[in-house]
Amino acid sequence: MTPICLVGIGKIAVDQHVPAIAGSDDWDLAATVSRAGTVDGVQSYTDFDQMLAERPDIPVISLCLPPVPRYDYAAKAIAAGRHVMLEKPPGATLAEVDALAVMAKAAGVTLYTTWHSRMAKGVAPAKAWLADKEITSAHINWKEDVRRWHPNQEWVFAPGGMGVFDPGSNAISIITEILPMPFHLRAADLHFPENRDTPIAAQLKWTNNVSGDFDWLQQGPQSWDITVETTSGTLHLHDGGDRLIIDGTEIAAGNNREYPALYDHMAELVKNGSSEVDVSPMTHVADALTLGKRITVDAFHF
Ligand code: NAP
């Protein structure tokens, strides 16, 4: 098993990364770096430089920090000759992810920009079914309650936190994967709480009749749905991509294995000496923040 270090022991590290690594035959969680978080039975550091200096035996670093602090950690890890796995979205800016890709290539290490929702059970069969279809429209309906899923995570509303596009980039990572044609943004309405720096809701319109409705104040049932209309039938992805229904017939449904699949893929990339760097979901978010009309809405407090 290959030793791996997890950095940023917060919500997603505890919920997903630690169990995925524990359940894998490829990886051994050998150390953590976090100012406050630890994992039982695993050597913990609060200082990343110290971990890099003291543990040259750990060749792979998985960064579970929020996007803004992530670049500095990734750059140091690559400079120290380590392979790097990035949580989504892969950075705070597109240029910094490009810079990391150049650095990783020069250093001969793997860089993997993970998009966990692409590993949801219905996504690969949806992509396969859509490959030869004529798409007439596609719509994202991504509505959840930020207080429930990101309790007191102030960074999501700070510059670089991306607001509703933090979960919204999951939906965009799916449509950029499954739709067989290119599309680009035409218009966006972005709803910024008067006391915050990132949007809490957004409506996006792309070319080719692709659209999205994102809301972070959804009460009651939560929606993580994508509908694609084609000249040969209608495809629905529900539950964040886990459930696929085509013309009323359930094609895929089941357990969430997104994070184990990400770690399986990282093991393959490292083994093959290759990288996977895809910023396309983030490009659409950046386009929305560039082109979008800003609408000020009521203040938001957790
Ligand atoms: P989080 O719990 O708020 O943050 C993760 C950890 O990062 C924190 O516990 C903190 O650990 C460290 N950290 C935070 N700010 C830092 C800073 N400025 N400098 C250094 N370390 C810092 O966030 P999360 O929900 O786990 O999300 C982390 C990433 O995972 C995000 O990119 C998010 O989009 C992605 N993600 C989250 C979810 C989810 O459901 N939450 C799902 C999928 C993906 P210490 O204070 O101990 O250092």
Side-chain angles (χ1 to χ4, degrees):
M1 291 207 285
T2 305
I4 188 168
C5 173
L6 264 187
V7 181
I9 306 302
K11 188 170 187 311
I12 198 61
V14 170
D15 288 356
Q16 297 289 346
H17 290 256
V18 171
I21 292 169
S24 167
D25 292 335
D26 294 312
W27 302 107
D28 170 34
L29 183 56
T32 61
V33 180
S34 210
R35 297 163 306 185
T38 58
V39 174
D40 281 351
V42 178
Q43 184 177 20
S44 63
Y45 290 85
T46 53
D47 186 88
F48 189 54
D49 295 329
Q50 187 187 354
M51 189 284 298
L52 288 173
E54 290 183 7
R55 298 298 306 267
D57 60 307
I58 301 179
V60 181
I61 314 289
S62 179
L63 297 176
C64 311
L65 306 155
V68 169
R70 206 179 297 130
Y71 171 84
D72 289 341
Y73 286 78
K76 280 183 180 179
I78 293 168
R82 315 301 168 90
H83 307 290
V84 174
M85 195 168 160
L86 301 171
E87 247 300 350
K88 53 89 346 194
T93 70
L94 292 165
E96 71 180 33
V97 183
D98 287 346
L100 292 175
V102 170
M103 289 162 61
K105 193 168 182 198
V109 298
T110 293
L111 181 68
Y112 179 23
T113 58
T114 68
W115 294 102
H116 66 87
S117 292
R118 287 183 174 174
M119 297 299 193
K121 197 152 186 199
V123 171
K127 180 177 181 171
W129 188 77
L130 289 170
D132 61 356
K133 301 292 181 299
E134 191 182 327
I135 313 297
T136 52
S137 70
H139 184 68
I140 295 168
N141 196 45
W142 224 252
K143 297 182 176 175
E144 62 173 53
D145 180 357
V146 62
R147 292 185 176 92
R148 181 163 153 198
W149 301 104
H150 294 267
N152 299 314
Q153 290 185 343
E154 294 289 342
W155 63 263
V156 298
F157 288 112
M162 298 185 201
V164 75
F165 293 120
D166 178 75
S169 65
N170 299 337
I172 298 172
S173 76
I174 294 175
I175 59 165
T176 48
E177 177 72 8
I178 66 174
L179 293 182
M181 75 293 183
F183 53 93
H184 62 267
L185 196 72
R186 284 288 198 199
D189 281 346
L190 308 176
H191 301 246
F192 282 75
E194 63 184 16
N195 61 336
R196 300 289 181 170
D197 294 313
T198 62
I200 198 159
Q203 295 86 41
L204 271 52
K205 280 195 168 61
W206 287 274
T207 52
N208 287 319
N209 272 335
V210 180
S211 56
D213 202 348
F214 305 86
D215 190 355
W216 232 357
L217 288 172
Q218 173 80 359
Q219 302 291 309
Q222 311 282 287
S223 313
W224 298 285
D225 304 319
I226 293 171
T227 301
V228 184
E229 302 281 0
T230 79
T231 53
S232 323
T234 302
L235 176 150
H236 293 284
L237 276 170
H238 297 298
D239 304 340
D242 269 343
R243 218 170 126 227
L244 172 64
I245 295 171
I246 297 176
D247 284 338
T249 303
E250 189 165 86
I251 307 294
N255 295 336
N256 175 335
R257 274 203 87 256
E258 294 172 20
Y259 279 81
L262 293 179
Y263 278 95
D264 289 350
H265 193 50
M266 182 65 178
E268 269 174 43
L269 291 172
V270 171
K271 195 170 135 207
N272 300 334
S274 50
S275 285
E276 186 173 305
V277 178
D278 181 359
V279 294
S280 59
M282 210 175 137
T283 302
H284 289 288
V285 172
D287 283 358
L289 294 170
T290 307
L291 186 65
K293 176 179 163 62
R294 185 183 176 116
I295 298 162
T296 302
V297 298
D298 290 347
F300 174 83
H301 302 282
F302 278 106

